Amino acid sequence: MKKLLWGLCVVLVSCGNPFEDFVLGLKEPIEEATVRIQFNLPENGKLPQNLEFSVEGPDAGKVVTNLNSRNFKISREGVIILAVSPEFTPTPAAPVEFTVVARAEGYLKIIKTFRFTGKANQSFQAQLVKEDLSGSLTTFQAEIKNTTYQTPDPTQKLLLTVQGNTIFRDRAGAEIPGAKELVMMRYDHKTAKNNLPAGGVAANPVGQDGKPLENAFDFLQVASLAFVQISSREDSRVVKTLDTPLQLTMELNPEMINPLTGARVKTGDMLTITSYDTDTGVWKDEGETRVVSGAGGKLQVSFPVPHLSFWMAGWRRTLCKNGPSFIVNSTYSGVDISFLAQLTDAASGKVIREYYMAVNNGSQLTISNIPAESEKVKLVLYDYSNYHGGNRTAPVAVSQAVSLCGTSTVNLPAFKVTLPRLVEIEMYTNCPAGQTLDKATLPAQMRIQYSEVGKGAWRDAGIVRREQHIAGTYRLKFGARYDIRASSDGGVTWPYQQKDQLINKTRWLIDVKTFGGKCK
Amino acid sequence: MKTIPSLCLEKAGIKTVKRFYLLFILLIGSKAFALTDSTGLTLRAVQLNLSTRGAGLEVAGGFKQPLVLRAGVNFITFQRGFAIKAEDGTFIQTDPDVASVSTHLLLDHYPFRSRLFHLTAGLEYAWIQRYTGTFYAHEAVKLGGVEMEAEDFGNAVLGIRWNRLKPYLGVGLKRDIMKRQMAVGLDVGTWYMGSPQLDLRYEGFLETTTIDEQVKQVEVNMRSYAFYPYLALQLRYSLN
């Protein structure tokens, strides 16, 4: 009996501390073979509530978030970072290819394919655009059942004709059977130029025969920019080619000015047709077409479309592919802010283009893809930074004149720009006397952003890492007050904040004792 | 801790209510069965339990001397939320959701002539066992020198699960044949529940942490949390 009672006592008091050896650390984000997808926030700064996001394709199983999770969730700031799982190594011989699909009721379906052949990172801006818009941007979305489709804008329609007997094929040439969904977007001549893919600079274009063109080009004016996407309803496979081309008709605004003639566009004017493949990044010269008078006397251009991508009609201009390089002479290093530099015509002083350039000694700004409209140019540097502003009227340095087209190297002295006080950011734990920080226990990385107090306009301040737990920045202004926040997951979420902080120390401490940061 | 059955069982669901009343009817009905049973099982007492398993009801029947068979039901529920203080006057809200409804069958053995002290062994089956806590914040929370908006803090739901079938071993003080119409009784023992399994679901900043690995560590640390202490006071009514 005594033994029984003793046994009972033992089992009643034998429980240990459940939190023994409990250390809450931070996951280490994957930093190679990632794609950062940034969605716009079209619902008053928020994502649509019914947004569905999925990863499709044969390699979808090899895809994780950058925290090595299969929980694909977009942050409330519209960011998700996907990565090839560390279990797989993408190579040119064994690439990893997958497609992300995002759809929300009332919005155009987004489909984007990513292909990884190595460890390089990618990024993608995913634009959630409302369907059935009318105006400068007009949109349309439907299941393919008929032969003709048009965007809802009554004044400048985009019309698409599908041949009933055509066969739809994916990039690999395989037929895509079954039901299909069509997405169309059209920007008019007022907005097209600002919405061209890849900045509208065809740096390495190809001709109609697929061979590289000698000169790069951009656009003087775009009369109409169209995006056409057809995809399988079942598995979201995207149609790339058609055995019988589609016919695309763009109605034009008769008020538009032909930049070559300086007069309003009219029947008989010639427009160049260009396509841009978003998957391969290839600009292609698709020839020319003549403006004709269509139904109801409306001006229009019409042309066959054998492959799907962006298509634009307009007027091009030739660019200098390679221009001069300007190399900075200074005493600076590790400066993470840039200063205003204007490329000006050496003869007239007219500003051709503006840049923000680094001022660290030896840093280089290479000019490329500039319209060949000046013979000699100069680079003019101002004491005006992209973080703190300054004086943008009195130059602090002017380079010697150099030919715009053709490679050459010119020095630019940048000794006179004014740097703010350096502020260091440190991952820190307050260790008791006699102990020091065990760096091995620090979080792998902390990205730091700051904003003016209460504004929520966040800008990067720097990244502190386990290996380099102190980072210097010139982006914070000494003596100013900021809201500061930190992210441990590569910038997807920013849960850790310090509000209304006065930067009155040259070293700013980020306390990480809650998440590792042990003393030894 | 509240143990009022009607309100609590409403939350536990209609099925629970049905199961409870079915069990109650069976227990009461067993008196008629016992009195006429040819095996010699004689219903001797009905008793109300107030124990570490909540409130309950038991019937006890004489079996073969010196054995007594007891069947009963226990239920417990607790759902009152509270706030845990974080730093600088900020709080983490905690909503516990504890609900347990179980039935048991116990066999008492009276080794001494006094027929007061008994050894007990038996089994319990938990029809409902829900032990969860939800953690979230109404407003910004400060932890470890940093501040988190309520939305960034997110929420976490921690659940603990044990075996539904639990053996019991214990001792007690109560007479097998009551000398008075009303009496009190005492049971002390332990239920063996098996090692607990933790289930943590969360949204918010915990998604960026190694909490999943740490939950496994806690589960290991809690392996010894396999025994549930039982202390029961009984108010007994003799049916003899």
Side-chain angles (χ1 to χ4, degrees):
Chain A
M1 183 56 59
K2 278 183 182 174
K3 284 181 181 173
L4 179 64
L5 290 173
W6 178 244
L8 279 174
C9 289
V10 167
V11 297
L12 290 179
V13 299
S14 64
C15 300
N17 175 9
F19 294 105
E20 193 175 336
D21 299 328
F22 181 95
V23 180
L24 185 61
L26 292 168
K27 287 181 183 171
E28 301 193 8
I30 300 167
E31 295 195 85
E32 293 177 334
T34 67
V35 54
R36 177 189 173 88
I37 302 173
Q38 172 75 63
F39 285 84
N40 60 323
L41 305 171
E43 301 276 344
N44 295 322
K46 293 183 176 175
L47 290 166
Q49 282 196 333
N50 53 12
L51 178 63
E52 294 174 15
F53 179 86
S54 61
V55 180
E56 312 278 352
D59 289 339
K62 298 176 181 175
V63 180
V64 293
T65 69
N66 68 329
L67 292 182
N68 206 0
S69 155
R70 293 278 299 169
N71 180 17
F72 298 122
K73 201 168 75 172
I74 302 164
S75 76
R76 71 172 194 267
E77 294 187 16
V79 177
I80 183 168
I81 300 179
L82 302 177
V84 176
S85 167
E87 295 172 21
F88 303 95
T89 305
T91 64
V96 173
E97 189 171 303
F98 59 91
T99 301
V100 298
V101 181
R103 65 174 83 204
E105 197 178 331
Y107 289 86
L108 301 181
K109 183 180 179 184
I110 296 173
I111 306 173
K112 174 68 179 170
T113 298
F114 300 97
R115 182 181 169 87
F116 284 87
T117 56
K119 293 179 176 177
N121 295 327
Q122 302 180 29
S123 64
F124 175 58
Q125 296 282 332
Q127 287 296 316
L128 287 160
V129 179
K130 292 221 171 187
E131 63 182 17
D132 295 328
L133 285 179
S134 182
S136 281
L137 168 61
T138 176
T139 60
F140 177 77
Q141 182 166 249
E143 185 171 343
I144 290 193
K145 288 178 179 171
N146 308 315
T147 55
T148 57
Y149 301 88
Q150 62 182 49
T151 54
D153 189 335
T155 55
Q156 296 167 63
K157 289 179 193 143
L158 179 71
L159 297 105
L160 185 73
T161 306
V162 182
Q163 302 300 322
N165 59 351
T166 193
I167 293 175
F168 301 88
R169 298 187 186 278
D170 65 13
R171 179 169 298 282
E175 183 180 350
I176 300 178
K180 292 170 194 71
E181 294 171 321
L182 167 69
V183 167
M184 292 200 297
M185 291 169 61
R186 193 275 292 140
Y187 288 95
D188 71 4
H189 73 288
K190 293 177 186 167
T191 55
K193 199 173 171 186
N194 290 332
N195 288 282
L196 287 167
V201 175
N204 294 293
V206 299
Q208 286 177 276
D209 56 2
K211 291 180 180 170
L213 294 177
E214 188 180 345
N215 293 313
F217 63 81
D218 69 354
F219 296 87
L220 278 172
Q221 173 66 282
V222 180
S224 186
L225 167 66
F227 174 72
V228 180
Q229 172 185 279
I230 297 174
S231 62
S232 163
R233 168 157 282 196
E234 187 186 346
D235 59 10
S236 294
R237 256 195 307 161
V238 175
V239 173
K240 272 295 157 195
T241 59
L242 304 102
D243 287 8
T244 308
L246 306 170
Q247 188 70 21
L248 197 61
T249 302
M250 297 169 163
E251 290 183 350
L252 306 178
N253 188 330
E255 301 297 317
M256 180 175 54
I257 301 297
N258 179 337
L260 300 184
T261 63
R264 287 180 182 172
V265 68
K266 61 181 188 305
T267 55
D269 283 356
M270 294 300 290
L271 270 67
T272 57
I273 305 299
T274 310
S275 68
Y276 176 77
D277 188 323
T278 51
D279 290 336
T280 60
V282 172
W283 292 87
K284 188 175 181 184
D285 174 10
E286 302 280 1
E288 290 186 316
T289 190
R290 192 176 298 279
V291 177
V292 297
S293 181
K298 288 185 174 179
L299 297 178
Q300 65 178 46
V301 289
S302 188
F303 48 89
V305 170
H307 60 96
L308 296 185
S309 50
F310 278 98
W311 286 77
M312 57 221 80
W315 295 270
R316 298 182 200 141
R317 63 178 172 182
T318 301
L319 303 177
C320 283
K321 262 188 185 179
N322 302 307
S325 292
F326 298 91
I327 296 179
V328 169
N329 283 345
S330 74
T331 54
Y332 308 129
S333 64
V335 178
D336 60 347
I337 60 176
S338 299
F339 287 80
L340 176 68
Q342 291 178 335
L343 188 71
T344 59
D345 185 295
S348 67
K350 182 187 166 192
V351 177
I352 299 169
R353 193 165 288 183
E354 286 189 348
Y355 303 88
Y356 279 94
M357 67 182 300
V359 293
N360 294 311
N361 188 39
S363 58
Q364 183 170 318
L365 173 67
T366 298
I367 307 296
S368 60
N369 299 316
I370 293 285
E373 293 167 357
S374 296
E375 202 171 309
K376 296 270 187 181
V377 291
K378 291 179 179 175
L379 193 67
V380 182
L381 182 67
Y382 293 88
D383 191 10
Y384 184 95
S385 80
N386 56 344
Y387 278 80
H388 305 296
N391 183 342
R392 56 177 300 155
T393 54
V396 291
V398 180
S399 77
Q400 66 182 74
V402 63
S403 292
L404 174 61
C405 291
T407 54
S408 56
T409 303
V410 186
N411 286 332
L412 182 72
F415 299 98
K416 291 184 179 174
V417 294
T418 312
L419 291 184
R421 199 160 164 180
L422 179 71
V423 176
E424 290 182 316
I425 301 169
E426 178 183 359
M427 277 200 283
Y428 140 96
T429 293
N430 189 14
C431 291
Q435 291 192 358
T436 55
L437 176 66
D438 181 2
K439 290 180 187 173
T441 63
L442 287 172
Q445 63 163 254
M446 279 281 191
R447 285 171 188 263
I448 313 297
Q449 287 191 333
Y450 70 95
S451 163
E452 281 184 57
V453 175
K455 295 272 179 72
W458 299 100
R459 301 186 79 178
D460 290 331
I463 305 173
V464 277
R465 297 176 183 276
R466 182 179 296 146
E467 307 80 34
Q468 192 177 357
H469 70 291
I470 301 172
T473 181
Y474 291 90
R475 295 174 180 176
L476 295 168
K477 198 171 180 181
F478 198 85
R481 302 191 84 91
Y482 296 111
D483 290 337
I484 294 174
R485 67 179 189 174
S487 169
S488 64
D489 61 2
V492 179
T493 61
W494 300 85
Y496 316 111
Q497 296 194 11
Q498 292 178 327
K499 288 185 177 169
D500 196 9
Q501 302 291 310
L502 174 65
I503 306 298
N504 58 357
K505 304 184 285 282
T506 50
R507 182 165 289 186
W508 193 255
L509 304 174
I510 305 292
D511 192 340
V512 291
K513 68 172 178 287
T514 308
F515 306 105
K518 303 297 174 198
C519 303
K520 62 179 179 181
Chain B
M1 187 178 296
K2 58 183 179 183
T3 53
I4 307 301
S6 60
L7 182 63
C8 305
L9 291 174
E10 192 178 337
K11 284 201 167 184
I14 300 297
K15 280 186 178 176
T16 310
V17 176
K18 283 182 178 173
R19 282 175 183 164
F20 172 72
Y21 285 114
L22 182 63
L23 191 68
F24 184 77
I25 289 164
L26 284 173
L27 287 170
I28 298 300
S30 65
K31 179 180 179 182
F33 169 77
L35 289 173
T36 57
D37 189 1
S38 60
T39 62
L41 180 65
T42 307
L43 198 62
R44 289 184 182 162
V46 176
Q47 53 200 44
L48 288 170
N49 267 6
L50 189 61
S51 74
T52 51
R53 304 285 290 151
L57 189 67
E58 266 186 0
V59 290
F63 191 54
K64 267 183 184 174
Q65 283 193 347
L67 299 174
V68 170
L69 195 62
R70 282 189 280 154
V73 57
N74 279 323
F75 49 89
I76 187 170
T77 179
F78 180 74
Q79 277 144 346
R80 183 179 295 171
F82 56 93
I84 300 171
K85 196 171 181 186
E87 293 172 13
D88 290 348
T90 61
F91 293 92
I92 297 169
Q93 190 64 31
T94 305
D95 288 351
D97 182 8
V98 174
S100 168
V101 177
S102 60
T103 53
H104 58 259
L105 198 62
L106 302 174
L107 187 65
D108 299 331
H109 175 252
Y110 288 80
F112 306 120
R113 284 189 178 178
S114 64
R115 296 289 166 84
L116 182 64
F117 175 82
H118 61 83
L119 303 169
T120 305
L123 276 176
E124 176 195 79
Y125 185 81
W127 300 95
I128 292 172
Q129 55 168 5
R130 195 167 61 242
Y131 307 101
T132 67
T134 303
F135 306 88
Y136 58 98
H138 286 304
E139 294 174 344
V141 179
K142 275 195 174 176
L143 286 172
V146 293
E147 185 170 334
M148 272 181 261
E149 296 293 338
E151 202 172 343
D152 290 322
F153 182 83
N155 65 73
V157 182
L158 176 65
I160 305 179
R161 205 169 58 248
W162 281 276
N163 293 342
R164 285 185 181 277
L165 193 63
K166 304 174 180 74
Y168 174 79
L169 203 59
V171 296
L173 288 174
K174 66 179 80 66
R175 296 196 179 279
D176 62 340
I177 299 171
M178 294 169 64
K179 291 181 177 176
R180 295 175 186 164
Q181 193 66 37
M182 299 284 288
V184 292
L186 176 72
D187 275 315
V188 179
T190 184
W191 302 95
Y192 176 71
M193 307 182 291
S195 294
Q197 288 178 300
L198 301 184
D199 175 37
L200 181 67
R201 285 164 286 133
Y202 48 81
E203 283 187 334
F205 86 101
L206 282 177
E207 293 177 64
T208 66
T209 69
T210 56
I211 188 74
D212 287 335
E213 296 161 27
Q214 297 308 308
V215 165
K216 287 173 193 159
Q217 177 64 45
V218 173
E219 219 169 49
V220 169
N221 293 345
M222 289 183 72
R223 272 183 191 157
S224 57
Y225 284 61
F227 299 93
Y228 190 91
Y230 187 61
L231 176 66
L233 278 173
Q234 287 123 7
L235 182 62
R236 313 180 71 208
Y237 178 78
S238 171
L239 297 174
N240 291 323

